[in-house]
């Protein structure tokens, strides 16, 4: 039967409903600030978002959005290649190209459309794509559509990438190498210096999805490639407006002039309506704030370090280094569910990740920090985890 | 021993470590239906095979590979 393949999901949902736990699609009923809201009837600290700089609730971004809705209306009702290119969209493309110091930028309606659309289009039949094994679903969705030969290399392993480039021989010169800046699940950063070195040795084009690293890493917030000092080796940067910029939408920038022609070959760009002008306007304002206020990034990292060292100090299994995403790794799904629910009841909303969305067989309690969190909120989060240890839901220090 | 049989032998060796149900591995053994490999175990086995023969196995071929024999034939093709 058509629906047989969904039975395991039907069963899992029934189990969650029976236990009264709602980790997927928990409803936010109120937003009080960038870091506080009411979720499923409880006032909580929002510690499971991607609101890295807290800009989703910035009064300046809200005002820009309101003014644009007043001026342009609520939607464009059409594609960028038809009636949906307003001067706001063009201005944002100019802003983002300027921010990255390149000449070419495309703005997409979502980050997913940006990465999947670029990955589906850049390489085609006869070409080769080398992608990090832990790539985001939007990257996998794109490369599957491309018609290119798809080769995975081991996550964050430049030696494995180099080995596979070598195996390609002359074909390596045209290969498309796809990596992310910060990986969204464990918060680990790609070793971009070594990856760029492999590209220099064997050839290829480098595509970096900075979805979680734009506004977060790099001297001016351009992301992991800037932080690694290898921007000259990058051919395409993709990213999203839905995380550090607090809106929705995506982009791709490139020093290659061909990007302007590629634009008209991307289905995810052509066959979808352009973003609402209000969203474009708040994004432009958020980008301006990122450039003008580097202290936001400093505050984010202070909070990230505080949470990471706090949770590591409790003896919990966390990612390889401090990052705005601090994931606690658990082996057992039952225990993860119970912890997630207990955290919510203690007033801390985090993300729960189970396979296949997690990179391996383990489960995650994914915490994310924001520049807008106060040190007290971070301490509350750490205390909530300590309480899980006291309750026997997590291994006590020394037992992990 | 032909090259194909060498590939088959090595692949069976790799798969034995995931063969929880202890099924007898032949060319017609199905990787998922018979051995019960999870998608993660499929990727792990592929990586071990790739490293051993110094090849890259493109993800695109996986939908066409169901059995041990089909995998061995693909590896054979890729090394030609
Ligand atoms: C690495 C990566 N790329 C792309 C996306 C898609 O972005 P968006 O959610 O803005 O569509 C995400 C986030 O979901 C992501 O983590």
């Amino acid at each position: 039967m058509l629906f047989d393949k969904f039975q395991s999901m039907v069963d899992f949902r029934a189990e969650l409903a029976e236990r009264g736990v709602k980790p997927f699609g928990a409803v936010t009923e109120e937003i009080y600030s960038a870091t506080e809201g009411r979720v499923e009837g409880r006032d909580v600290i929002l510690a499971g978002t991607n609101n890295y700089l807290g800009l989703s609730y910035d009064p300046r971004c809200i005002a820009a959005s309101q003014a644009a809705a007043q001026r342009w209306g609520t939607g464009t009702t059409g594609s960028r290649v038809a009636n949906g290119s307003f001067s706001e969209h063009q201005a944002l493309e100019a802003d983002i190209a300027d921010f990255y110091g390149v000449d070419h930028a495309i703005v997409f309606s979502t980050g997913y459309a940006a990465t999947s659309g670029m990955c589906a289009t850049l390489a085609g039949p006869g070409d080769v794509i080398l992608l990090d094994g832990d790539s985001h679903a939007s990257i996998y969705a794109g490369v599957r559509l491309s018609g290119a030969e798809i080769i995975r290399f081991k996550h964050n392993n430049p030696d494995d990438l180099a080995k596979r480039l070598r195996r390609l021989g002359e074909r390596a010169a045209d290969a498309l190498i796809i990596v992310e800046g910060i990986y969204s699940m464990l918060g680990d950063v790609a070793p971009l210096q070594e990856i760029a070195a492999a590209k220099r040795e064997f050839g290829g084009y480098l595509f970096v999805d900075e979805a979680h690293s734009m506004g977060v890493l790099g001297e001016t917030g351009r992301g992991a490639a800037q932080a690694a000092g290898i921007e000259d080796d990058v051919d395409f940067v993709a990213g999203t407006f839905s995380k550090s910029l607090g809106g929705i939408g995506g982009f791709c920038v490139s020093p290659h002039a061909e990007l302007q022609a590629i634009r008209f070959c991307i289905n995810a760009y052509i066959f979808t309506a352009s973003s609402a002008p209000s969203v474009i306007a708040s994004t432009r304002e958020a980008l301006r704030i990122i450039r003008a206020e580097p202290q936001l990034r400093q505050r984010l990292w202070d909070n990230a370090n505080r949470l990471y060292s706090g949770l590591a100090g409790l003896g919990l299994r966390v990612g390889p280094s401090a990052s705005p995403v601090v994931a606690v790794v658990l082996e057992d799904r039952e225990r993860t569910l119970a912890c997630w629910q207990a955290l919510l009841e203690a007033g801390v909303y985090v993300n729960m990740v189970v396979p296949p969305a997690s990179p391996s067989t383990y489960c995650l309690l994914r915490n994310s920090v924001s520049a807008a969190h106060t040190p007290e909120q971070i301490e509350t989060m750490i205390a909530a985890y300590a309480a899980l240890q006291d309750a026997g839901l997590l291994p006590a220090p020394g037992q992990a | 021993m032909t090259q194909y049989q060498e590939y088959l032998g090595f692949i069976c060796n790799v798969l034995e470590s995931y063969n929880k149900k202890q099924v007898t591995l032949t060319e017609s053994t199905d990787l998922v239906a018979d051995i019960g490999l999870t998608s993660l175990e499929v990727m792990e086995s592929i990586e071990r095979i790739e490293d051993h023969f110094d090849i890259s196995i493109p993800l695109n071929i996986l939908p066409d590979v169901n059995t041990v024999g089909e995998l061995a034939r693909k590896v054979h093709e890729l090394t030609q």
Side-chain angles (χ1 to χ4, degrees), chain A residues 12-28:
Chain A
F12 185 38
R13 283 175 48 82
E15 181 199 331
L16 293 176
E18 192 175 313
R19 298 167 56 156
V21 185
K22 199 173 172 188
F24 310 116
V27 176
T28 299

Side-chain angles (χ1 to χ4, degrees), chain A residues 121-129 146-150 171 174-176, chain B residues 60:
Chain A
T121 311
L122 279 173
D127 297 325
V128 190
I129 291 173
S146 71
E149 195 175 311
I150 307 158
R171 293 180 78 202
D174 278 328
L176 179 65
Chain B
N60 318 54

Side-chain angles (χ1 to χ4, degrees), chain A residues 50-400:
Chain A
N50 304 293
N51 202 359
Y52 298 121
L53 301 178
L55 294 179
S56 71
Y57 215 66
D58 188 286
R60 296 162 291 181
C61 296
I62 295 170
S65 205
Q66 284 170 331
Q70 205 79 57
R71 176 172 172 202
W72 299 100
T74 52
T76 67
T77 80
S79 156
R80 289 292 308 277
V81 301
N83 59 307
S85 275
F86 292 11
S87 40
E88 281 290 298
H89 298 86
Q90 261 196 324
L92 176 55
E93 280 177 349
D95 290 351
I96 200 105
D98 183 58
F99 177 62
Y100 274 96
V102 295
D103 287 336
H104 309 285
I106 307 179
V107 163
F108 292 82
S109 301
T110 66
Y112 189 100
T115 37
S116 65
M118 289 306 298
C119 292
T121 311
L122 279 173
D127 297 325
V128 190
I129 291 173
L130 288 146
L131 84 167
D132 185 286
D134 284 2
S135 290
H136 187 256
S138 60
I139 294 174
Y140 273 105
V143 299
R144 287 214 168 90
L145 284 173
S146 71
E149 195 175 311
I150 307 158
I151 295 171
R152 256 171 57 122
F153 62 90
K154 289 178 192 153
H155 174 56
N156 273 355
N157 187 328
D159 292 338
D160 195 48
L161 169 65
K163 195 160 66 182
R164 291 169 190 278
L165 282 165
R166 169 181 58 71
R167 287 172 188 157
L168 286 173
E170 284 178 6
R171 293 180 78 202
D174 278 328
L176 179 65
I177 303 163
I178 302 175
V179 298
E180 296 175 27
I182 291 181
Y183 284 82
S184 59
M185 291 292 129
L186 291 175
D188 46 342
V189 182
L192 286 175
Q193 283 175 354
E194 293 83 352
I195 287 169
K199 174 198 146 161
R200 264 180 256 129
E201 182 175 355
F202 295 100
Y205 293 81
L206 183 56
F207 180 101
V208 184
D209 183 350
E210 301 266 23
H212 291 267
S213 30
M214 180 208 194
V216 169
L217 284 176
E219 197 188 339
T220 64
R222 288 182 196 161
Q226 186 182 37
I230 56 101
E231 287 181 292
D232 288 347
D233 294 296
V234 178
D235 295 282
F236 301 93
V237 171
T240 177
F241 304 144
S242 72
K243 305 189 195 297
S244 61
L245 293 167
I248 184 160
F251 69 90
C252 179
V253 297
S254 174
H256 298 293
E258 289 81 358
L259 189 71
Q260 297 302 353
I262 294 169
R263 174 197 297 267
F264 294 98
C265 303
I266 306 170
N267 282 354
Y269 176 81
I270 303 168
F271 296 101
T272 193
S274 61
S275 287
S278 53
V279 169
I280 298 289
S282 76
T283 303
R284 291 188 65 198
E285 181 62 13
L287 188 61
R288 189 195 65 72
I289 294 171
I290 284 191
R291 301 179 83 163
E293 298 176 12
Q295 62 273 25
L296 283 176
R297 231 167 9 261
Q298 189 54 48
R299 225 176 291 152
L300 170 68
W301 279 97
D302 289 347
N303 284 338
N305 287 321
R306 190 185 301 269
L307 183 65
Y308 183 83
S309 56
L311 295 184
L314 291 176
L316 297 172
R317 203 172 135 198
V318 288
S321 57
S323 156
V325 176
V326 185
V328 174
V329 180
L330 288 92
E331 294 296 337
D332 182 52
R333 197 185 70 172
E334 292 301 304
R335 195 164 278 242
T336 312
L337 269 172
C339 287
W340 182 85
Q341 182 68 17
L343 285 169
L344 188 73
E345 284 166 13
V348 180
Y349 170 81
V350 306
N351 304 122
M352 181 178 133
V353 188
V354 296
S358 64
S360 184
T361 53
Y362 50 69
C363 303
L364 300 173
L365 293 168
R366 176 188 181 273
N367 309 278
S368 64
V369 298
S370 172
H373 281 125
T374 61
E376 293 72 33
Q377 286 176 320
I378 303 285
E379 294 306 327
T380 304
M381 289 157 64
I382 298 166
Y385 276 91
L388 294 181
Q389 291 179 314
D390 294 340
L393 284 169
L394 284 175
Q399 289 180 353

